[in-house]
Amino acid sequence: MTPEDQEETQPLLGPSGGSAPLSRRVFLAAFAAALGPLTFGFALGYSSPAIPSLRRAAGQALRLDDDAASWFGAIVTLGAAAGGVLGGWLVDRAGRKLSLLLCTVPFVVGFAVITAAQNVWMLLGGRLLTGVACGIASLVAPVYISEIAYPAVRGLLGSCVQLMVVTGILLAYLAETIFEKAKFKDSSLASVIVGTIQVLFTAMAALIMDKAGRRLLLTLSGVIMVFSTSAFGAYFKLTQGGPSNSSHVQLLTPISMEPASASVGLAWLAVGSMCLFIAGFAVGWGPIPWLLMSEIFPLHVKGLATGVCVLTNWFMAFVVTKEFSSVMEVLRPYGAFWLASAFCIFSVLFTLSCVPETKGKTLEQITAHFEGR
């Protein structure tokens, strides 16, 4: 065993059987690191309430048309992709702690530029800067937390990264667009409901992560997403026929004792499908990839490897965010969701065939598994 490997066998703030003061230090340090993801969750969710307001802006210079609104929502993920590359370099050169501190600079500057914006280009520039900060934070925070935590709580603390993100968002990133396509009157309320479900189920996943294990939760999450996206696709297929099938219903309206119409029943199919998808995503594919990313790579390649992971994640998020409406137009809404269902099936098969269980293992044991030792 090399000295580098020996470093990976011990967490930085106390062994698994450590004293209570050391355990408290682990949780405090993890909370401090997770404040970055809380901020980038806010940055991600900011576009949802901001875009409608900017569409109605009194000044022509700040008013967003459809194309500018699309870029305002999507450019943060493009910045995050660049931030992932920068974060991979920073984490090895400047260290974990300093990298977390440095990511506050583009956050502060980005929001300052948005606040003082005089035209659309300043708005987009501010969003791009906050995106860079998001990319750095989404890489450094999971890596730092995985290295300070001992195996018995690494799943719990690592999942808190995603918990802080969804707390910052409290909005589903595409929920409002989807619910508007489904012809709900109050798409903002729907987004708040979806965001609340995401927070609650992410918290639940964090609590059971070190008991249930990563593989089980990823598989369960994928199966739930398969059924929910298939059901949502079926909803759009059933309602494509005409205006009589539209689901113009108010969410959370008290259910009367009279028989519900077919359209109302289909509307609740849409609501149920979306909520089920968010719950399924939150217990597995939301928090666990960030956790696994920080667990499976050895120290000598961790910066580069996690940088590639974050770059891939945020670039694909950019593609989906920017082109989601176009995909819905080309494939029709039901086709877009059935395509998503096919990807979810692939995720289940990939988990069962390729993903190792890391629950309760030290980082050195996980590295040894991949090296065949």
Side-chain angles (χ1 to χ4, degrees):
M1 181 181 293
T2 66
E4 185 177 77
D5 289 333
Q6 289 176 338
E7 288 179 8
E8 292 194 64
T9 64
Q10 295 294 335
L12 294 179
L13 294 178
S16 58
S19 63
L22 285 176
S23 297
R24 285 197 293 269
R25 288 180 61 195
V26 171
F27 282 84
L28 182 60
F31 173 76
L35 292 177
L38 177 68
T39 308
F40 97 64
F42 177 81
L44 289 177
Y46 170 73
S47 62
S48 188
I51 287 176
S53 176
L54 289 170
R55 284 181 183 274
R56 301 188 299 269
Q60 186 66 35
L62 290 175
R63 190 176 302 160
L64 298 183
D65 57 21
D66 289 344
D67 187 58
S70 173
W71 276 105
F72 187 82
I75 199 170
V76 69
T77 55
L78 199 59
V85 177
L86 178 58
W89 179 84
L90 269 178
V91 80
D92 284 335
R93 303 310 191 278
R96 281 61 164 156
K97 183 177 178 180
L98 183 57
S99 296
L100 283 170
L101 294 173
L102 288 175
C103 78
T104 62
V105 175
F107 268 134
V108 172
V109 174
F111 280 119
V113 170
I114 292 172
T115 302
Q118 301 298 312
N119 52 57
V120 172
W121 288 107
M122 289 184 70
L123 290 173
L124 296 180
R127 288 287 284 169
L128 185 67
L129 283 173
T130 57
V132 171
C134 290
I136 297 172
S138 65
L139 183 147
V140 181
V143 169
Y144 178 74
I145 291 173
S146 73
E147 291 178 349
I148 66 171
Y150 44 87
V153 297
R154 196 171 60 240
L156 168 65
L157 296 181
S159 299
C160 286
V161 171
Q162 179 71 6
L163 177 61
M164 295 296 263
V165 172
V166 297
T167 301
I169 296 172
L170 201 56
L171 292 165
Y173 203 48
L174 297 173
E176 221 165 306
T177 300
I178 294 170
F179 276 111
E180 285 171 358
K181 283 282 187 179
K183 299 183 177 65
F184 283 102
K185 290 181 179 178
D186 198 341
S187 57
S188 296
L189 176 59
S191 294
V192 173
I193 293 171
V194 166
T196 303
I197 291 172
Q198 194 169 17
V199 170
L200 293 176
F201 277 87
T202 303
M204 183 186 74
L207 292 174
I208 65 175
M209 186 72 64
D210 291 306
K211 301 290 185 183
R214 285 61 155 162
R215 274 171 56 91
L216 175 61
L217 290 178
L218 279 176
T219 303
L220 176 64
S221 174
V223 170
I224 292 173
M225 291 193 297
V226 168
F227 283 106
S228 59
T229 50
S230 298
F232 217 154
Y235 162 79
F236 280 113
K237 182 67 173 177
L238 291 171
T239 57
Q240 70 173 354
S244 61
N245 285 333
S246 297
S247 53
H248 294 275
V249 298
Q250 192 75 18
L251 288 176
L252 300 184
T253 301
I255 299 176
S256 68
M257 298 302 292
E258 299 176 4
S261 67
S263 63
V264 172
L266 288 176
W268 284 109
L269 173 62
V271 175
S273 299
M274 173 60 80
C275 292
L276 184 63
F277 175 85
I278 294 299
F281 176 79
V283 299
W285 281 95
I288 295 178
W290 300 109
L291 175 61
L292 283 176
M293 174 193 76
S294 64
E295 290 180 322
I296 63 176
F297 297 120
L299 282 174
H300 65 280
V301 297
K302 185 163 284 188
L304 174 63
T306 54
V308 171
C309 291
V310 173
L311 170 64
T312 303
N313 174 82
W314 287 115
F315 178 74
M316 297 308 297
F318 166 75
V319 172
V320 172
T321 305
K322 188 72 174 66
E323 301 300 330
F324 180 74
S325 296
S326 300
V327 172
M328 297 252 287
E329 291 176 7
V330 172
L331 298 180
R332 309 293 296 273
Y334 64 86
F337 281 97
W338 285 344
L339 177 63
S341 182
F343 279 107
C344 292
I345 292 172
F346 175 76
S347 77
V348 174
L349 297 177
F350 179 82
T351 299
L352 293 175
S353 59
C354 299
V355 177
E357 182 54 71
T358 60
K359 175 185 69 173
K361 296 180 180 179
T362 66
L363 299 182
E364 190 276 336
Q365 289 172 329
I366 296 170
T367 300
H369 167 83
F370 285 103
E371 293 179 351
R373 292 191 277 119

